[in-house]
Amino acid sequence: MNRLTPEQRFQIVQFYFENNGSVRNTYRALRPFYLRQNRPSEQLIRMTMERFRTTFTLIDNSHLQRRRTVRTEEAIATEERSIEEDPNESIRYRAQELDLCPSSLWKILWKDLGLRAYKIQLVQELKPNDHQARRRFVEWAQNEIGVVLDFHKRILFSDGAHFWLNGYINKKNCRICSESNPHVYVETLLHPEKLTVWCALWAGGILLQRR
């Protein structure tokens, strides 16, 4: 839907209070005033009411609140101190705390401070005994290579995966479009049937097992 006019927002607020704060009834009350394809959605009604509660206005003045910030020496020094105190804070929250424009914050981060944003890497946890176990394995493998010339050809690299046989549904990716909640349920087994596939690669070929 296109941006709402102040008159449309006032109508939403009026119907919302007339229907005792029910978003669903407000949505239905707006039906005679809009076509099906451009009627305000329930989400838009909630957003309009939340904005009205927080800003006490029905006028879209977001363009007046846009902050334009130049990369001054003071702004650069302020951001540098902020990053030293907490390098993990997001750009959005840091911009709010420093009262800076996010785009200016990015430019200071890259061009003036020479910093980059890196993602956290997830790695397997190592227990205290894992280091000794790996060292023993390396020593054993080196000894075997010295005794058996084609030892490296006998190493298998394996992995496994489970496949559900009951039509597994990922509810995060499944959506049903409807004016009202259809209350659709899908029954699932407590112990669903699944197929486990194990595969290994080695110099002699591919090993595949299913169970």
Side-chain angles (χ1 to χ4, degrees), residues 6-211:
E7 291 77 14
Q8 291 173 321
R9 290 175 182 155
F10 176 79
Q11 186 183 47
I12 290 176
V13 173
Q14 183 180 12
F15 284 174
Y16 180 83
F17 287 110
E18 288 179 355
N19 288 276
N20 299 320
S22 172
V23 174
R24 165 57 58 179
N25 292 338
T26 302
Y27 176 76
R28 292 172 178 170
L30 293 171
R31 186 175 299 173
F33 301 92
Y34 294 88
L35 298 176
R36 184 183 183 91
Q37 62 271 20
N38 71 343
R39 193 192 330 167
S41 63
E42 292 186 26
Q43 180 181 5
L44 185 56
I45 294 173
R46 291 190 183 93
M47 293 174 58
T48 301
M49 293 307 305
E50 181 63 24
R51 181 177 183 177
F52 179 73
R53 292 190 187 98
T54 56
T55 63
F56 305 102
T57 181
L58 298 174
I59 301 176
D60 186 5
N61 58 355
S62 58
H63 60 283
L64 300 176
Q65 299 175 353
R66 183 179 178 182
R67 292 167 293 186
R68 302 177 59 88
T69 308
V70 295
R71 288 153 46 206
T72 62
E73 294 183 359
E74 181 181 359
I76 295 173
T78 301
E79 182 174 351
E80 186 175 15
R81 289 192 301 269
S82 175
I83 293 174
E84 290 177 353
E85 295 175 357
D86 185 6
N88 299 324
E89 190 174 31
S90 67
I91 293 295
R92 183 166 61 91
Y93 286 117
R94 196 183 303 277
Q96 292 176 356
E97 290 181 356
L98 302 180
D99 195 26
L100 295 174
C101 178
S103 60
S104 298
L105 206 61
W106 273 113
K107 292 178 181 178
I108 294 176
L109 186 70
W110 289 344
K111 297 183 179 181
D112 299 308
L113 300 179
L115 301 177
R116 296 293 183 270
Y118 296 96
K119 293 183 179 179
I120 297 177
Q121 296 183 355
L122 301 180
V123 297
Q124 184 176 354
E125 179 186 8
L126 294 179
K127 303 295 183 181
N129 295 332
D130 290 341
H131 297 281
Q132 296 180 1
R134 291 189 176 191
R135 182 179 295 274
R136 287 195 300 268
F137 173 79
V138 171
E139 294 175 351
W140 170 81
Q142 289 178 338
N143 181 68
E144 292 296 321
I145 292 174
V147 176
V148 184
L149 297 180
D150 62 344
F151 174 76
H152 62 284
K153 295 182 180 180
R154 305 183 182 185
I155 300 177
L156 280 75
F157 299 91
S158 64
D159 198 2
H162 302 294
F163 297 89
W164 277 263
L165 305 180
N166 63 326
Y168 173 76
I169 297 178
N170 187 349
K171 65 179 183 179
K172 293 183 179 180
N173 298 332
C174 183
R175 295 292 183 270
I176 300 176
C177 297
S178 176
E179 291 188 355
S180 60
N181 189 347
H183 297 290
V184 176
Y185 299 94
V186 177
E187 294 184 353
T188 59
L189 299 175
L190 180 61
H191 302 289
E193 294 183 83
K194 59 184 177 181
L195 175 67
T196 300
V197 179
W198 178 87
C199 179
L201 303 177
W202 69 303
I206 301 176
L207 300 178
L208 183 63
Q209 182 180 11
R210 295 176 296 175
R211 60 185 176 88

